[in-house]
Amino acid sequence: MTLSPASTVGEVIEHMRALGWKENVAGMARFGIVTQTALGLSNVELRRIARQVKVDHARAMALWQSNIREARLLAAFSASPSELTLDEAREWAGDCNSWELADTVADLFVAARFERTLIPEFAADEREFVRRIAFAMIATAAVHLKKEPDSLLVAWLPLIEAHAADERNFVKKAVNWALRQIGKRSAACYGPALALAQKLADSDRRSARWIGKDALRELQSDPVRIRLGIQA
């Protein structure tokens, strides 16, 4: 079956089922991906399908409702950031049950420019993957919102500090990711991020200490310093 922008939800799912590879599912599980509804397609294959079917927001919403891992990822790849609503974003966030989905929708939510609203809202949410989305959005924003002032990113450092003590694996890794990405963004972001990393590294809280020490290793590395023009 050849897919096109006119392909229906049913046709897209049928195509993905035909391409599914059960051997891939076991490998996914080893990386912490929830596989109960997985078909076994790689993200490379899903990106290729997304290029074929193009953006179609209504179809993306229906794909998400299928609850199939690949369909949900494809939904995030093919939804329209300009048509996505905050309520839809909140619903998708609440449905996320893996770091993979959380990080993928985080990219979409930043593209939709929901970061100012959803980052503090999701960070305050106690659900593990919703909170992860908040910090994945920060990491994504640090890289992709190049026209935004550095002050926007620096302003999120207190949020990183506030949640650095969250011991849950998928949260603390996202908090660490956000801190490192802010620090690597520019020379102006480097100093405040490095100072926070040093503070966290001295914390008596295990998660905060790990986040700080891991961030320091990267931020103080020669490649990062050289790229940003930071003196050793």
Side-chain angles (χ1 to χ4, degrees), residues 90-199:
R90 291 179 178 115
E91 179 182 350
W92 282 23
D95 288 340
C96 286
N97 61 354
S98 74
W99 64 266
E100 178 189 39
L101 274 178
D103 294 359
T104 303
V105 300
D107 289 349
L108 174 64
F109 298 166
V110 171
R113 299 310 310 268
F114 291 159
E115 68 280 352
R116 294 177 188 268
T117 299
L118 294 184
I119 286 174
E121 179 181 322
F122 286 172
D125 197 299
E126 290 295 333
R127 289 172 290 179
E128 182 175 12
F129 292 110
V130 176
R131 183 169 288 173
R132 181 183 174 95
I133 291 170
F135 294 99
M137 288 179 70
I138 293 175
T140 296
V143 174
H144 294 293
L145 298 187
K146 300 182 185 301
K147 294 183 179 179
E148 289 295 323
D150 289 334
S151 58
L152 173 70
L153 283 303
V154 172
W156 284 324
L157 290 175
L159 202 61
I160 288 173
E161 182 176 3
H163 293 286
D166 192 322
E167 295 283 350
R168 292 175 293 181
N169 189 49
F170 293 117
V171 174
K172 75 176 184 181
K173 286 188 174 181
V175 173
N176 170 265
W177 180 26
L179 178 57
R180 289 184 291 107
Q181 292 300 94
I182 291 176
K184 293 187 295 181
R185 176 182 167 94
S186 68
C189 289
Y190 181 86
L194 184 69
L196 177 56
Q198 290 171 328
K199 181 178 180 180

Side-chain angles (χ1 to χ4, degrees), residues 50 53-57 59-60 63 71 73-81:
V53 299
K54 308 297 184 186
V55 172
D56 185 318
H57 195 69
R59 184 180 57 211
L63 284 168
L73 289 170
L74 183 59
F77 295 154
S78 61
S80 169

